[in-house]
Amino acid sequence: MAKFVDEDLDEVEFKSCWKKERNLHNSTTQTLEVETDDASSQSVSKSHVEIQTEDTSPEASKTPEYNPDTLLAFLKRVEPGVMEYLDKTHRSHAFDGYDVSTVDEDLPMSCIHTLTATELVKELKCTSLSWNAIGSTLAIGYGTTDHQDWCTHKGLVLTWNLDRQKVKQDKPDTSIEVSSCVNSLAFHPKFPAWIAGGTFSGDVMIWDLGESEPLMSSSSLDEDSHREGVCSVVWIEQSTRSRNKAKVMSVCSEGKVLIWDFVVGKDQLKLSAGWFLSSGPTKGLGSDTKQASLGVTCLSFWPDDQSSMIVGSESGGLYKCNMVEDFTEGNDLVTSLPVAFKFQAHRGPVYSSHCSPFHHNLFLSCSSDSCARIHSVLESHPVMVCEPGDSYLFSARWSPVRPLVFAVGTGEGRLLVFDLKKSKVLPVLSLEINKKGVPVYTLEFNHIR
């Protein structure tokens, strides 16, 4: 039986015969330096524009393909309805007198009506005109302009409704006799039947053309009312559109500017405010200092702003005046009218002024110096001066539809129409209103038509 026992033996070491040590060696190399250079370049700006050209390709010039039989059937189907409407259009009068034109042609002005009432008017002259709020009725005031003393004439207010199919040119619709010559008329801007007027004797009156007795109210005769001829009357716009109350402003040749309260049912106008246009303080015969008043000849407001107004005077002065909110009540008319700006004066009385309905800073004036001027409220000197002749210019009005067109009436009986787009010197139209050479004292554009 064999026996196994543990035994410790010495270690035996031997080296590998196939693996050898490696020798390492370090070395460096240098490459050539890489040269770089930076440069900027300007980019090119480009613009693109689209244009439309005709397609000249052969496909575009070909006649579209269609079926003749289908087209004929379509035309036969729609022909009765088309012919029916064409026949109705041919028999309609809706577009009578209407000419479709894309070119703004210069058509000559023609006379539509010549309104005369020889038996009533006699030797009186047309002194004022006014169109009502809807542009259908024209009111004409008559009087004389060559007074040497007190007025002993009877004035007239005649109206014609030009919307009637048959207008009787020698027979007015309304005839109102006034105790003295009528100098000024103004229809109410909202109520077509109300009309205010001023007379040579200083009266301010309001009529209602819809009543059998037209006179509704007149100014009272007291120390603060007008003592000389009323040159202009203007309705004052109010915040509340009441049919029972209204305000009227009047000016006269003694320099007073008065505001009257009108209440339906009361036969007298109430004086609610008053000023006078002053040239500055002057010394009287005594030690008192007095305000020398200037005779007011015309008055004009801008359509959208009645806080300021243009006033013309007998001495040729033109003034921009501001309305005073704190009115002078009753009989204490000692406050002068606040003058905000004074313009270069005419060389004669200013007969007419009119604020532009398109430009808030422009107004027109004319005078006995034969000049029509366009002013800017930002400059004292006129922007433009027109001198069409040697005669007096009594009236001037801007066109309500064309901003560069205005008209003036001359002392030789002619109506001159200026279009600043075509000429700044010469009128584009000159009409002889009467062959007798009677001056054109007044003119008015119809602001509705």
Side-chain angles (χ1 to χ4, degrees):
M1 183 174 184
K3 292 184 180 179
F4 295 91
V5 295
D6 296 330
E7 186 174 357
D8 294 331
L9 298 178
D10 296 337
E11 295 178 357
V12 178
E13 180 180 2
F14 60 89
K15 295 183 179 181
S16 173
C17 62
W18 63 270
K19 186 175 182 181
K20 296 181 179 179
E21 295 181 0
R22 293 180 179 180
N23 295 327
L24 300 177
H25 180 72
N26 297 327
S27 63
T28 60
T29 60
Q30 183 176 1
T31 61
L32 296 176
E33 183 180 359
V34 180
E35 296 181 356
T36 61
D37 187 17
D38 297 329
S40 61
S41 62
Q42 184 177 3
S43 61
V44 179
S45 61
K46 297 181 179 180
S47 178
H48 299 279
V49 178
E50 295 182 357
I51 60 174
Q52 183 178 0
T53 60
E54 295 182 358
D55 191 357
T56 58
S57 61
E59 291 78 9
S61 59
K62 291 182 179 179
T63 304
E65 296 182 359
Y66 65 94
N67 189 331
D69 297 333
T70 306
L71 178 60
L72 180 60
F74 168 75
L75 293 177
K76 288 183 177 180
R77 186 175 69 253
V78 300
E79 180 188 13
V82 173
M83 294 303 298
E84 179 183 357
Y85 280 100
L86 288 176
D87 184 58
K88 288 182 179 180
T89 303
H90 178 70
R91 289 185 282 106
S92 174
H93 299 282
F95 296 97
D96 286 356
Y98 178 71
D99 182 20
V100 179
S101 176
T102 58
V103 181
D104 187 12
E105 300 177 351
D106 293 329
L107 298 178
M109 188 178 294
S110 59
C111 180
I112 301 176
H113 299 290
T114 301
L115 306 178
T116 59
T118 308
E119 296 182 359
L120 296 174
V121 174
K122 298 180 180 179
E123 299 299 325
L124 299 178
K125 299 179 177 64
C126 175
T127 57
S128 56
L129 296 171
S130 183
W131 291 93
N132 71 344
I134 58 177
S136 62
T137 300
L138 177 66
I140 306 175
Y142 290 91
T144 60
T145 57
D146 53 354
H147 294 92
Q148 301 297 329
D149 204 340
W150 296 100
C151 179
T152 57
H153 311 92
K154 296 290 185 180
L156 281 176
V157 177
L158 306 181
T159 67
W160 277 268
N161 185 348
L162 301 182
D163 270 357
R164 299 179 184 273
Q165 292 184 352
K166 295 183 179 180
V167 178
K168 296 182 178 180
Q169 301 182 99
D170 58 345
K171 186 177 181 181
D173 299 317
T174 306
S175 175
I176 303 173
E177 187 177 279
V178 188
S179 59
S180 62
C181 294
V182 178
N183 289 346
S184 178
L185 290 177
F187 268 108
H188 192 280
K190 302 296 182 183
F191 307 131
W194 288 8
I195 183 171
T199 68
F200 182 82
S201 60
D203 295 325
V204 178
M205 301 179 178
I206 297 179
W207 298 280
D208 186 350
L209 302 182
E211 301 293 335
S212 58
E213 293 294 333
L215 182 61
M216 292 195 295
S217 187
S218 61
S219 59
S220 58
L221 183 61
D222 54 41
E223 59 181 358
D224 293 327
S225 59
H226 296 300
R227 298 300 180 91
E228 296 187 17
V230 177
C231 302
S232 180
V233 289
V234 180
W235 292 90
I236 303 297
E237 291 283 353
Q238 295 180 274
S239 57
T240 58
R241 295 177 57 183
S242 173
R243 290 193 61 91
N244 298 322
K245 296 181 180 180
K247 286 183 178 292
V248 177
M249 175 178 284
S250 60
V251 297
C252 71
S253 55
E254 63 180 335
K256 285 183 180 179
V257 180
L258 305 180
I259 293 183
W260 306 88
D261 283 339
F262 164 63
V263 179
V264 175
K266 295 187 177 181
D267 57 358
Q268 282 197 346
L269 298 173
K270 179 184 177 182
L271 181 62
S272 62
W275 311 274
F276 60 89
L277 185 64
S278 171
S279 60
T282 58
K283 285 287 185 180
L285 296 177
S287 58
D288 296 338
T289 301
K290 300 181 179 180
Q291 295 282 343
S293 61
L294 296 174
V296 180
T297 54
C298 57
L299 173 73
S300 180
F301 286 97
W302 278 274
D304 57 347
D305 182 16
Q306 290 192 334
S307 62
S308 59
M309 54 189 169
I310 298 298
V311 178
S313 68
E314 288 181 338
S315 61
L318 281 167
Y319 309 92
K320 179 185 177 184
C321 302
N322 294 329
M323 289 283 289
V324 182
E325 295 182 0
D326 185 15
F327 289 162
T328 302
E329 295 289 345
N331 56 5
D332 189 17
L333 297 177
V334 296
T335 306
S336 62
L337 187 64
V339 176
F341 199 78
K342 182 178 180 180
F343 304 93
Q344 184 183 40
H346 282 272
R347 297 187 301 273
V350 181
Y351 287 124
S352 181
S353 65
H354 191 216
C355 297
S356 171
F358 296 96
H359 305 283
H360 182 67
N361 291 332
L362 295 182
F363 68 93
L364 179 69
S365 66
C366 68
S367 167
S368 62
D369 60 1
S370 306
C371 290
R373 296 180 179 180
I374 297 178
H375 298 262
S376 169
V377 296
L378 305 177
E379 301 179 24
S380 59
H381 289 76
V383 177
M384 196 186 73
V385 179
C386 297
E387 194 169 357
D390 298 330
S391 64
Y392 289 7
L393 300 182
F394 287 104
S395 53
R397 288 292 182 269
W398 289 100
S399 167
V401 294
R402 299 184 63 178
L404 299 179
V405 174
F406 65 90
V408 295
T410 73
E412 296 176 342
R414 303 191 71 85
L415 176 67
L416 306 179
V417 180
F418 289 84
D419 188 349
L420 302 182
K421 186 177 181 180
K422 297 182 179 179
S423 175
K424 297 181 179 180
V425 179
L426 299 176
V428 295
L429 190 61
S430 177
L431 297 177
E432 186 180 29
I433 302 302
N434 57 79
K435 297 182 179 180
K436 297 181 180 180
V438 178
V440 180
Y441 291 111
T442 180
L443 68 93
E444 288 291 342
F445 283 93
N446 192 320
H447 55 282
I448 301 297
R449 308 175 184 187

